[in-house]
Amino acid sequence: MGFLASLSHKTVVITGASAGLGATLAVECARRGARLGLLARNAERLAAVARECEQLGSEVLIVVGDVAVAADGQRLVEATIERFGCLDYLVANAGLSMWTPFAAVEDVALFRTLMEVNYLGAVHCVHPALPHLQKSKGLLVAISSIQGQVGVPLHTGYSASKHALQGFCDALRMEVAASGVGVMTVLLHWLQGTELRQRALGKDGKALGAASRKHRAEAVRLEEAAQAIVRGMQKRQQRLYVPKRLRLLALVHALWPALAEWVVKGKVAREEG
Ligand SMILES: NC(=O)c1ccc[n+]([C@@H]2O[C@H](COP(=O)([O-])OP(=O)(O)OC[C@H]3O[C@@H](n4cnc5c(N)ncnc54)[C@H](OP(=O)(O)O)[C@@H]3O)[C@@H](O)[C@H]2O)c1
């Protein structure tokens, strides 16, 4: 049982837990005995994920809320402390994407929405959680993307919001290290089987839905990503690349940005084709 027991009696809060990676992570944590605080806007889907976790023996609190609303982040943390008395891991996972050339964007409000969900959405939860993470010497886990380090065409606003999240986490890590709090950012490649692409905002600021592109085979399986993240949490890694080879792109980008951009442009062109 060794590794599987690693989250027993730990309280893990996950935002964006009603679908995709957040839901899969919740189940992975439940398997390892964690107590869970789960937030998303869709109450029904959140309840279904909670039931699955409870069937695995986990105690689960659900909070229906929107990370773009600061008061909802506060409510999530307060409810967690009231129910479980502590908070060991905060996983800021809720996210929203886009898929359109910048020149085609009809209303720049789209950029505000992406910042409010992907960047401020994390800040809204981290701020109330920090004193509790300091008490538990816990870990903030920010679910980012390789786009937090390397820009990707057709994703200007998404890349910018993930860069903001990365900068926030890198600065915070240094501030809070002395109090025993860890900060881990997860830089992901494309994932298979999530709804991020259908929900991604198009040029008119509306979700792409059926018009969205399907992922190619190289995209990472959800379970594989969730297991890598839980392992990273256990090791309190600073930066986790999923898959690991993504680190190479980050390295090339630091040393030879033009080469990295050539690689990225080619990949996006193939996804478009
Ligand atoms: N899929 C990929 O290829 C990929 C690649 C790199 C990084 N990521 C990152 O992984 C994370 C999870 O994405 P995913 O692929 O699992 O996407 P997903 O399938 O679309 O799930 C997104 C989750 O976030 C929740 N959410 C969205 N907006 C929210 C808001 N304003 N307040 C609260 N919850 C909100 C959604 O639930 P409700 O609608 O119920 O609120 C849902 O549970 C994101 O941060 C994303 O940027 C994904």
Side-chain angles (χ1 to χ4, degrees):
M1 186 77 178
F3 173 65
L4 278 184
S6 62
L7 292 176
S8 129
H9 306 301
K10 298 289 183 195
T11 303
V12 182
V13 165
I14 305 174
T15 67
S18 63
L21 181 62
T24 309
L25 259 176
V27 170
E28 281 300 324
C29 292
R31 285 210 177 98
R32 289 160 172 79
R35 297 179 294 210
L36 293 168
L38 307 179
L39 175 133
R41 293 162 304 171
N42 186 318
E44 232 172 86
R45 296 185 70 180
L46 198 54
V49 175
R51 274 195 299 278
E52 193 179 342
C53 295
E54 280 162 354
Q55 278 159 13
L56 291 163
S58 188
E59 267 184 84
V60 187
L61 161 79
I62 61 174
V63 175
V64 177
D66 183 338
V67 291
V69 177
D72 286 5
Q74 179 87 36
R75 206 157 47 80
L76 170 67
V77 172
E78 280 171 7
T80 302
I81 297 304
E82 199 181 317
R83 172 81 181 265
F84 300 123
C86 65
L87 202 176
D88 299 290
Y89 296 92
L90 170 64
V91 184
N93 165 77
L96 179 67
S97 187
M98 69 181 282
W99 194 291
T100 179
F102 179 68
V105 169
E106 290 165 12
D107 184 346
V108 290
L110 180 156
F111 285 74
R112 180 164 295 118
T113 304
L114 291 167
M115 288 301 267
E116 280 173 352
V117 177
N118 296 343
Y119 166 49
L120 293 172
V123 175
H124 292 157
C125 299
V126 175
H127 189 256
L130 190 57
H132 304 287
L133 290 173
Q134 284 172 326
K135 254 187 223 156
S136 64
K137 304 209 183 303
L139 183 72
L140 161 64
V141 181
I143 304 298
S144 185
S145 156
I146 188 61
Q147 297 197 43
Q149 223 175 338
V150 180
V152 170
L154 311 180
H155 293 76
T156 45
Y158 179 75
S159 294
S161 67
K162 293 295 191 184
H163 270 69
L165 179 63
Q166 186 68 46
F168 168 73
C169 288
D170 288 344
L172 183 68
R173 183 183 303 109
M174 290 184 270
E175 283 186 24
V176 299
S179 65
V181 177
V183 178
M184 165 170 138
T185 55
V186 180
L187 291 90
L188 294 165
H189 190 16
W190 285 316
L191 300 173
Q192 283 175 21
T194 83
E195 295 168 25
L196 197 76
R197 286 204 176 183
Q198 292 97 291
R199 296 179 189 219
L201 306 179
K203 62 180 182 173
D204 55 1
K206 298 202 174 85
L208 287 175
S212 66
R213 305 273 190 280
K214 294 272 174 289
H215 281 296
R216 292 177 181 248
E218 73 176 272
V220 181
R221 282 189 317 107
L222 266 183
E223 289 71 20
E224 199 184 311
Q227 283 162 12
I229 292 167
V230 174
R231 280 196 300 273
M233 283 162 62
Q234 205 192 23
K235 292 188 203 153
R236 295 173 75 91
Q237 254 173 271
Q238 284 193 1
R239 248 177 222 214
L240 176 70
Y241 292 90
V242 181
K244 280 190 185 141
R245 64 185 149 78
L246 213 50
R247 177 188 284 267
L248 195 61
L249 178 61
L251 188 68
V252 172
H253 185 257
L255 298 173
W256 193 357
L259 176 60
E261 286 184 11
W262 178 78
V263 171
V264 169
K265 272 202 297 202
K267 288 227 180 270
V268 172
R270 282 196 291 282
E271 289 281 312
E272 278 282 277

